[in-house]
Structures are given as structure tokens and as C-alpha cells.
Amino acid sequence: MNGPPPTRFPPELPFAARMTFDPAFFATPAFVLTVIAAFVAALVRGFTGFGAALTFIPVASAAYGPTVAAPTLLIIDFLFALPIAAKVLPAVRWRTVLPAAFAAMAVVPLGAWALSVGDPTALRWTISAVILVLVALVASGLRYHSEPAIPASAAVGSISGFLSGFAQIAGPPVIALWVSGPHPAATIRANLFVFFTLTSLSSFTAYYLRGLFTVDVLRLTLSVAPVYALAMFTGSWLFHRLGGAGYRPLAYVVVVLAAITSAPLFDGIWR
């Protein structure tokens, strides 16, 4: 699931010359599948507040490589989730979000480093295992009836930060924690939108320092952004239209799918 190598240009070539769009690029099966994945990913993200990576990253990574897929998702998701995050601020539980967000931001560079130099297969097996353990804990009936302790929030945030830096799959750890609590769907969703907005700031810095913002990333970003924006705001509209009905069951399904699609066992499906 490494995809083709990123496009390299002579450093003296003007940026405008490097930023080209071959019409054949839009006609490839890889691009079409990536656009479909972007639509589904953003629809789920707009409704639940997380889950975009579970659809987008496996497909886009198979087509263009993880070092193109992850930065692309970071850019488009940050841009179009920001207005929603601003709108849901009154519902955020800051005592829950901030410890998790700060811990995640501290660990994101480690995940970005792993993305650029680590063994992707071994890391992805580890990610799948961690997510499934979290799902098992939630499915066991483990619940809490107040705000999670700050150390617990920070520990879960650290796991999310690593997953965010490595593959933009930060949702499962925090969603597994927050859906086990007493808060309504609107609060969980608001927490997630603000959490991802804050941790994205660290991801931008880490990806920039690792040289992951390439011409290939910008080309794919501009190509899928319109579809992603439309689907994101459609998902948000559906959440408010349905009043958050079915939020927790859908969240569990998304988390399990994240574990499945992260596993290298299923690479053949995306190639």
C-alpha cells in the first residue's frame, strides 16, 4: 500500500510549472475511487465528527501512497471542519477535550516521524490491534458517569496523537472513551470537532518539518476539495436534521471499520 513515489522536479523549476494537471489524471480509476472515498469520508465526518480517515486513507494510500494521502486529508479536513468546529464551541466539554488535545499535539510529531521512516506494515498492524482493544473495552459494558480523569484523557489523547501523525486516524481512541460517558451525542460530536481542530495544528507543523507537503499533495488536495466540502456539510446537515439519532451505534461501527481497514490484511481490496 505504498503507491507510486512522489513526483520530483528540479528545484529551479518554477512552482507554476510544477503544479500541472494532466487531463488523464482525472480519468484514472485510482482518482475516481479516491473521489468516491473522499465523499463517503466527509459525509461520515460531518455527521459523527470523526471517521474520515477510515474510508479515505486506505483508498488514497493504495492509489498515491500514504505520504500523499495523509497530508491531503489533513488539509481538506481542517479547512472544511473549521467552520463546524467554531459553531459547536458552546457544547464543548473543555475539561475533557484540552488534556486529550494537548497530549495528542505533543505526540503527533512521533507519528509523523513513523510515517516518514517507519515500517508501515508493522505500524498498521499495531494500530489495528490498539483500536480493537479499545472497542473490546467499550463493548464489555465499561462505562463512567462523570468527566474522565485528566490522566486518562491525556493517555488516550497520546494514542490518538500518534495515530493522527501516522495516518490521520486519531478518532478511535477518543471516541471509544467519550461514547462510554454520560454526555449526549451533540456534546461528543462537538468535542471531536474541536479536538481534531487543535491537534491538526500540530500535524501541520510535523508534516511540514518532515517535508510531506509536496506538489502531489497539493494537486490531489485541489482535485478532491470540492467533493469533500459538499459531503462534509451534507453530513452536518443530516446530524441536525435527525437530531443525533443513532449516533452511538454508528460511532461503534465506524471505530470497528477503522480497525479493519487499517490492517494490511485487506490491502488487496484497495489495490
Side-chain angles (χ1 to χ4, degrees), residues 85 88-98 186-187 189-195:
V88 300
L89 282 176
V92 174
R93 303 290 295 187
W94 293 104
R95 188 179 182 277
T96 298
V97 172
L98 289 181
T187 298
R189 180 173 175 269
N191 286 351
L192 288 167
F193 267 105
V194 172
F195 172 82

Side-chain angles (χ1 to χ4, degrees), residues 26-229:
F26 301 101
T28 61
F31 178 75
V32 173
L33 288 174
T34 299
V35 169
I36 294 172
F39 182 86
V40 175
L43 192 67
V44 172
R45 171 81 155 105
F47 187 89
T48 66
F50 81 109
L54 88 91
T55 301
F56 185 81
I57 292 296
V59 177
S61 292
Y64 303 105
T67 55
V68 172
T72 296
L73 182 61
L74 173 64
I75 296 171
I76 57 177
D77 190 77
F78 180 81
L79 290 176
F80 301 121
L82 191 59
I84 300 176
K87 188 175 180 179
V88 300
L89 282 176
V92 174
R93 303 290 295 187
W94 293 104
R95 188 179 182 277
T96 298
V97 172
L98 289 181
F102 288 150
M105 292 171 72
V107 179
V108 160
L110 181 60
W113 171 81
L115 173 64
S116 62
V117 304
D119 178 357
T121 300
L123 286 168
R124 287 168 54 222
W125 277 118
T126 302
I127 288 171
S128 294
V130 169
I131 294 173
L132 288 174
V133 168
L134 292 171
V135 172
L137 288 174
V138 174
S140 69
L142 182 66
R143 296 290 184 272
Y144 61 91
H145 303 287
S146 60
E147 299 287 350
I150 290 178
S153 294
V156 170
S158 297
I159 300 172
S160 289
F162 180 85
L163 299 184
S164 177
F166 177 69
Q168 290 299 297
I169 307 179
V174 289
I175 192 66
L177 176 67
W178 292 340
V179 298
S180 300
H183 300 304
T187 298
I188 298 171
R189 180 173 175 269
N191 286 351
L192 288 167
F193 267 105
V194 172
F195 172 82
F196 288 127
T197 299
L198 292 174
T199 56
S200 290
L201 300 176
S202 181
S203 295
F204 272 110
T205 302
Y207 281 20
Y208 174 78
L209 293 176
R210 301 304 305 180
L212 294 175
F213 291 121
T214 63
V215 172
D216 293 315
V217 169
L218 182 56
R219 180 184 295 111
L220 187 60
T221 296
L222 295 176
S223 300
V224 302
V227 170
Y228 197 90

